[in-house]
Amino acid sequence: ILVSSVVLVLSQKSLFKFYTLFLAVLLGAASVLVNYYGTSHIDFYSAYNKAALGFGLLPRSGPTLWLGLALLQLLLGLGYVALLNVQSFCAALVVLDIMVPLWGLMVELPAQVRQALALASGAILAVHAAANLLWKLKWFYYSCRYVYLLLRHMYRIYGLQLLLEDTWKRIRFPDILRVFWLTRMTAQAVILVYVVRVVRSESGLQLGWDLFWDLSSNLIISGCDSTLTVLGMSAVISSLAHYLGLSILAFIGSTEEEDKRLGFVAPVLFFILALQTGLSGLSPEDRLVRLSRNMCLLLTAILHFIHGMTDPVLMSLSASHVSSVRRHVPVLLVSLILFALPVLLSYVLWHHNVLNTWLFAVTAFCVELCLKVLVSLTVYALFMIDGFYNVLWEKLDDYVYYVRSTGNVIEFVFGVIMFGNGAYTMMFESGSKIRACMMCLHAYFNIYLQAKNGWKTFINRRTAVKKINSLPEVKGAQLREIEDVCAICYQEFATSARITPCHHYFHALCLRKWLYIQDTCPMCHQRVYIEDDGHERATFSNNNGYAAPGQERAEFEGEEGGANAGAAAGGAGPENELLEDNDSIEYDEEEWGTQPGVTLVEEEYINDDTDSN
């Protein structure tokens, strides 16, 4: 663990040098073992007589095996001196030291002498390796100290989170886990195949789907028998989910960076489910059942995430009225698959399992996904209908809100039901601290925040509708005399317009959408409010600041003096209009650069600039 911790903090260059020294030590140890084994346990004469292909053409002294050992030791020695970067004279001595025990075999020295030569050669090589390592110890110390100071500096400047993220990326921890899990599974698969072949040759075992299923089940069970293997399986799932998400994004034509997080969400959810259910600590049979159930839950979560990727694309295509069928077909196809897969999964599970808390949870997730897909397709259809008729549909926003609110309410109800299902599971089936933490997170994010945001949206809409209804409405001849467009959507006024207290007018639908976001006029940023009989009547003007020609209108009643301010076009003096406008608009002195003692000319400049913006 200590050596691994040191290796963890080394830089890439230092890590390469560390592995170079480590490999050199391994080569030296291998040469010593070959010398000891060759001088102590090999009978070259009998081995040669048995290995000469039965022809007996070569001499009986066994030079073939000696030459083979000599070539092997020469390669080991050259690799050792090359990795340690030994000088030429010392390198020759090291190679000579490695080859000395073989000379004892060639001249047929007694066995004890050959063993003594092998031990002496190994001791000399060990001393040489230890001296080189001690010589490199100073470099190793400074490398570790440099990395330690660098990590401490990063911790002080950027914090622990960024330090961990940098270390995670630098050592490529998911790749390490992925390679570990795949190589382990491959080795176990090779062993199982070898065992099956031996059993088949001895007992005549027949190959079939049952045998293949048993082998696959054994591999899967052994692939999650510890926390480390569960991490490795999570890394493999991460890779699969990542490429699945990229494929779907490319298919539907989305470029959102936030939608590329499927490779992170899927493995985290799988690992949490494994910890929550105690997967690695179960018996093999129970582990296989629990793993299959976790995979079903993971599949439903991935389908929910994919729906989150397709829904913005559906809304974008429908709201922007894209006419290309090729853009719509992939997204609609994915949406239909998202609707069909949960139905098929629920049918299969209910056909092969009895009702329990796990099956109830999977079914609830599947039904919720189907409802979300239906909501998305309904909103998509509403926007497409609006684009097809090419006429302002004032009720469209209300219909979209009703559909989405219905979906959100149903989703909230399912969240409450799932919380009750989890509470029942924790109390009567398998309670754990991790499950309790997950239930708390579910209650906060999926119940409390969803209810809070839904109620906030409802209040904002209700407030906006009240404000819109309190504003004066212009229709008929008055509306036709205003030769201008709505300042929000740049469309003409077909039936009516709403006038704000600052004498700007908009479509009621456009202004209501604006008031969902902020409570100010889009033109002059004055607060949109109406006091009952609290304002003087102001000249009726359009969005450019000019009065409608030939008309006299009274919009607001004055508070002081009870005098009417209705004036004919061109008859209302600019001074009175400025004073009246100044009573209803509150300017920010820092933003507009005004002072308390501004003149009327300065106020006129400010008003004209505000109206033009």
Side-chain angles (χ1 to χ4, degrees), residues 173 177 180-181 184 221-235 270-271 274-275 278-282 287 434:
F173 191 67
L177 291 175
F180 157 73
W181 192 82
R184 185 175 186 268
I221 290 171
S222 62
C224 55
D225 56 357
S226 65
T227 304
L228 189 59
T229 53
V230 170
L231 284 173
M233 185 178 288
S234 302
F270 173 79
F271 186 71
L275 293 180
L279 182 64
S280 59
L282 299 175
R287 192 186 309 151
I434 299 178

Side-chain angles (χ1 to χ4, degrees), residues 158-177:
Y158 302 107
L160 181 61
Q161 181 180 357
L162 290 179
L163 176 61
L164 293 177
E165 291 180 0
D166 177 74
T167 305
W168 180 279
K169 295 178 181 179
R170 182 170 55 85
I171 66 175
R172 300 181 180 180
F173 191 67
D175 293 336
I176 294 174
L177 291 175

Side-chain angles (χ1 to χ4, degrees), residues 164-317:
L164 293 177
E165 291 180 0
D166 177 74
T167 305
W168 180 279
K169 295 178 181 179
R170 182 170 55 85
I171 66 175
R172 300 181 180 180
F173 191 67
D175 293 336
I176 294 174
L177 291 175
R178 196 174 298 118
V179 171
F180 157 73
W181 192 82
L182 291 176
T183 51
R184 185 175 186 268
M185 294 292 289
T186 303
Q188 292 181 349
V190 170
I191 294 174
L192 286 176
V193 170
Y194 174 75
V195 171
V196 168
R197 291 185 61 183
V198 172
V199 174
R200 183 185 178 189
S201 62
E202 293 179 355
S203 60
L205 181 65
Q206 297 295 328
L207 297 179
W209 288 109
D210 293 337
L211 179 61
F212 178 76
W213 172 251
D214 291 338
L215 293 177
S216 303
S217 301
N218 289 327
L219 283 177
I220 294 174
I221 290 171
S222 62
C224 55
D225 56 357
S226 65
T227 304
L228 189 59
T229 53
V230 170
L231 284 173
M233 185 178 288
S234 302
V236 175
I237 292 175
S238 171
S239 181
L240 297 176
H242 174 70
Y243 288 110
L244 174 64
L246 291 182
S247 302
I248 294 176
L249 288 177
F251 182 70
I252 65 178
S254 176
T255 58
E256 292 292 334
E257 291 293 330
E258 291 294 325
D259 293 338
K260 298 180 180 180
R261 297 181 293 109
L262 182 59
F264 173 77
V265 174
V268 171
L269 180 58
F270 173 79
F271 186 71
I272 290 176
L273 287 173
L275 293 180
Q276 182 174 314
T277 56
L279 182 64
S280 59
L282 299 175
S283 62
E285 294 79 9
D286 296 338
R287 192 186 309 151
L288 181 62
V289 174
R290 177 54 61 184
L291 180 62
S292 62
R293 293 181 176 182
N294 289 354
M295 284 298 181
C296 291
L297 291 171
L298 179 63
L299 176 60
T300 56
I302 291 177
L303 293 178
H304 276 268
F305 191 91
I306 294 175
H307 172 263
M309 297 161 53
T310 58
D311 183 69
V313 180
L314 270 177
M315 298 303 103
S316 175
L317 292 176

Side-chain angles (χ1 to χ4, degrees), residues 574-584 600 603 607:
E575 181 176 352
N576 295 333
E577 183 177 352
L578 289 170
L579 291 175
E580 176 190 287
D581 200 38
N582 190 46
D583 290 338
S584 61
L600 295 178
E603 288 185 3
N607 289 334

Side-chain angles (χ1 to χ4, degrees), residues 123-136:
I124 293 173
L125 191 63
V127 171
H128 181 268
N132 275 275
L133 293 179
L134 290 175
W135 180 258
K136 304 289 185 180

